[in-house]
Amino acid sequence: MRVLGLLGLIARLPFVDAAAARGALFPRSGALTVAAELRLGANALTSAEIALLSMKLRRECNVAALWSDAVPTLAEVCKEQATAATDFPGPLPVVFAGAASEVGMAVAAGASAVVLAPANVAAEALGVDVLWRVSSAAEVAAVADAGHGSGTFLVDGEGADVGDILGAIPPEAAAVVAISAMQADNEEVSLGRRLAAAGCRSLLVRGACVGDDEDVAYTRFVVGGLTSKMSSKFKIDGATGAANGHFGTSGGSLLRDSKTNWRRQRERTMT
């Protein structure tokens, strides 16, 4: 189904609070938030296993939101999160970051927000938050020119142009910056801290969960590493590097002396 043909479908969907995702990713306190992506492709989990993972991520990992690019996974996660309506912590927003042709199914399954490319700027009336995936300052300008300048942007934190892209985002807008999970020497934590020191308020850890038995432990580790208090020296070093555009360089990590070697990393090295 084409994105432009979704308006009739959306009118028949149950109400979804369109402010839920942005409010969770950017709380009024200004605290840094971290979201975790579920990328379960190679490891097929049962519905019960996905529900258990969803519950543990909510209860044990202090994540702000969950992301998925697969509608079946997203549907199971949304279903489980809905059971926490009277719990603390309550339901997490679930963001769909898959194919634009599947956006309607994702919203029908309960997605709180969807990720779209600038080519889909006509899809604003989806009834949920839209995050615009941009890869250049020109794409930021195109989204803003289409009337979405106060929206939310998704930026690759490991791209060479990340500094230019973040600098082009209008001050009234917000940005989620994506970093990859389980990098060598905990570099995702180092990079995330530098981004936070430069003013980033929301991070997405791509591939944090892949359906193995390290998912919850790793997510707890990376969220803790990114959100724990930083020393004043790190804040100065990180802000200086970020201001100079050196988002992707090494150094400054408070976790260098406690490198974590995950089995997933070892298996990746062996293949």
Side-chain angles (χ1 to χ4, degrees):
M1 180 182 298
R2 295 178 57 191
V3 172
L4 297 182
L6 293 175
L7 300 185
L9 171 63
I10 298 303
R12 301 193 299 271
L13 297 178
F15 174 75
V16 178
D17 183 0
R22 181 152 173 164
L25 294 171
F26 303 97
R28 292 183 179 180
S29 66
L32 176 70
T33 66
V34 182
E37 181 192 38
L38 283 70
R39 193 180 294 171
L40 309 182
N43 296 313
L45 298 182
T46 66
S47 296
E49 288 170 334
I50 295 174
L52 181 61
L53 174 60
S54 172
M55 179 189 69
K56 288 186 174 181
L57 291 171
R58 179 181 69 253
R59 292 182 177 179
E60 302 177 17
C61 297
N62 197 31
V63 291
L66 300 176
W67 294 50
S68 177
D69 63 357
V71 173
T73 297
L74 178 138
E76 296 297 339
V77 172
C78 289
K79 190 186 308 180
E80 190 285 321
Q81 291 297 325
T83 67
T86 59
D87 293 350
F88 182 83
L92 296 173
V94 185
V95 181
F96 178 67
S101 60
E102 297 179 342
V103 162
M105 291 184 289
V107 174
S112 305
V114 298
V115 176
L116 292 175
N120 300 121
V121 289
E124 182 184 26
L126 289 171
V128 297
D129 279 346
V130 173
L131 292 87
W132 301 102
R133 182 190 285 112
V134 291
S135 57
S136 68
E139 288 189 342
V140 173
V143 172
D145 290 345
H148 307 294
S150 60
T152 306
F153 293 83
L154 175 62
V155 180
D156 181 1
E158 295 157 19
D161 299 330
V162 59
D164 292 339
I165 297 171
L166 291 174
I169 292 176
E172 65 272 21
V176 177
V177 182
I179 56 179
S180 298
M182 289 197 183
Q183 298 183 35
D185 297 336
N186 306 318
E187 179 58 23
E188 71 272 31
V189 177
S190 302
L191 174 57
R193 283 180 174 275
R194 291 195 297 276
L195 288 162
C200 174
R201 290 182 52 201
S202 186
L203 295 169
L204 165 66
V205 183
R206 294 179 297 209
C209 300
V210 299
D212 64 20
D213 58 7
E214 293 181 329
D215 285 344
V216 175
Y218 172 73
T219 303
R220 188 187 305 118
F221 161 81
V222 74
V223 173
L226 289 167
T227 59
S228 60
K229 290 186 178 180
M230 295 178 286
S231 70
S232 58
K233 180 180 185 302
F234 178 85
K235 288 183 179 179
I236 293 171
D237 292 347
T240 301
N244 291 333
H246 302 153
F247 287 100
T249 59
S250 299
S253 173
L254 299 181
L255 302 181
R256 287 291 180 191
D257 296 331
S258 58
K259 298 175 184 177
T260 303
N261 187 13
W262 302 92
R263 186 181 68 251
R264 201 188 306 172
Q265 290 175 314
R266 297 195 300 272
E267 292 174 349
R268 186 187 308 155
T269 302
M270 294 171 61
T271 56

